[in-house]
């Protein structure tokens, strides 16, 4: 019994320590998401309409019958001339004449379209700020595979923390008479709110 209780306590404090920063992040962004309409935000918008140099365009197209990735020279030219930094990994669209690259990310959106017949390209970027960035992390929006794995693992840690905490409360309830009523209240309050106020 003692070893069992000690093991539960150990799992409880370990899961609490690992999940502490994540729980704080998700709790705060839960509030900001709930009041997103009340929090003023000034997104910044960048638009670039330009033309790729003909030699770069021709080299890229001659090396790719179905271009799904831009050449490193085009990447370097875009950054050097317009501060457009493209990620290493991306999924583009090609319809035979237009190269289209969506660049959605937490806290913002961007896209790049290149007309391969003329070399003209359009780049647009919208940045909604740090608050939107953390709100999108909360939702896992456009945050990538690694972050989605983190959310799943973090959620598992929170489950361990909650279940071990519930077991500890149950085992020590005889020493704290208010434990059972408070735990029941914690279940009853959201249940009543769901039944009465959510339609």
């Amino acid at each position: 019994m003692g070893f069992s209780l000690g093991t539960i306590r150990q799992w409880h404090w370990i899961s609490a320590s690992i999940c502490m920063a994540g729980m704080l992040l998700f709790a705060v962004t839960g509030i900001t998401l709930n009041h997103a309409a009340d929090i003023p935000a000034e997104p910044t918008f960048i638009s670039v309409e330009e033309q790729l140099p003909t030699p770069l365009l021709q080299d890229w197209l001659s090396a790719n019958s179905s271009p799904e990735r831009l050449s490193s020279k085009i990447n370097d030219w875009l950054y050097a001339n317009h501060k457009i930094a493209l990620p290493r990994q991306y999924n583009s669209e090609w319809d035979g004449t237009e190269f289209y690259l969506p660049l959605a990310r937490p806290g913002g959106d961007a896209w790049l379209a290149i007309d391969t017949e003329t070399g003209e390209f359009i780049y647009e970027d919208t940045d909604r700020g740090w608050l939107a960035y953390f709100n999108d992390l909360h939702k896992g929006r456009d945050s990538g595979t690694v972050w989605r794995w983190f959310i799943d693992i973090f959620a598992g840690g929170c489950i361990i923390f909650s279940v071990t905490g519930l077991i500890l409360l149950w085992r020590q309830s005889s020493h704290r008479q208010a434990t059972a009523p408070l735990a029941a209240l914690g279940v009853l309050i959201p249940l009543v709110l769901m039944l009465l106020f959510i339609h």
Side-chain angles (χ1 to χ4, degrees):
M1 178 73 73
F3 174 78
S4 173
L5 186 59
T7 302
I8 292 171
R9 283 177 176 159
Q10 189 174 31
W11 276 100
H12 186 67
W13 75 259
I14 289 175
S15 61
S17 300
I18 293 174
C19 296
M20 178 178 60
M23 283 191 286
L24 182 60
L25 170 66
F26 280 88
V28 172
T29 51
I31 294 172
T32 57
L33 277 169
N34 198 36
H35 297 277
D38 304 321
I39 301 174
E42 291 290 338
T44 58
F45 180 75
I46 297 173
S47 180
V48 178
E49 294 188 35
E50 188 59 82
Q51 187 155 348
L52 290 174
T54 302
L56 292 182
L57 181 66
Q58 290 177 344
D59 289 346
W60 171 48
L61 294 177
S62 63
N64 299 276
S65 59
S66 178
E68 296 178 353
R69 299 187 63 80
L70 296 174
S71 66
S72 59
K73 290 182 179 180
I74 291 179
N75 288 342
D76 294 341
W77 185 87
L78 288 171
Y79 184 76
N81 290 273
H82 301 287
K83 298 300 183 226
I84 299 174
L86 302 181
R88 293 182 179 180
Q89 301 295 328
Y90 54 75
N91 294 316
S92 64
E93 300 174 15
W94 167 253
D95 65 2
T97 57
E98 183 182 73
F99 173 89
Y100 178 77
L101 178 59
L103 297 165
R105 67 184 185 278
D109 282 295
W111 58 270
L112 172 70
I114 301 175
D115 186 330
T116 58
E117 293 183 344
T118 64
E120 295 179 353
F121 75 86
I122 300 175
Y123 172 78
E124 292 189 354
D125 182 286
T126 303
D127 190 327
R128 299 190 304 275
W130 284 102
L131 185 59
Y133 174 80
F134 285 109
N135 284 348
D136 284 348
L137 288 184
H138 182 109
K139 297 181 288 186
R141 176 186 177 271
D142 299 314
S143 51
T145 303
V146 173
W147 184 258
R148 288 197 297 272
W149 272 104
F150 165 75
I151 291 177
D152 289 342
I153 294 171
F154 165 74
C158 288
I159 291 171
I160 293 172
F161 171 72
S162 300
V163 170
T164 53
L166 186 61
I167 294 172
L168 289 172
L169 282 175
W170 174 69
R171 290 202 170 181
Q172 299 176 7
S173 60
S174 59
H175 304 293
R176 295 182 175 88
Q177 299 300 321
T179 298
L182 288 174
L185 192 61
V187 175
L188 190 61
I189 289 175
L191 182 61
V192 170
L193 293 176
M194 285 187 289
L195 293 175
L196 296 182
F197 299 103
I198 298 178
H199 303 288

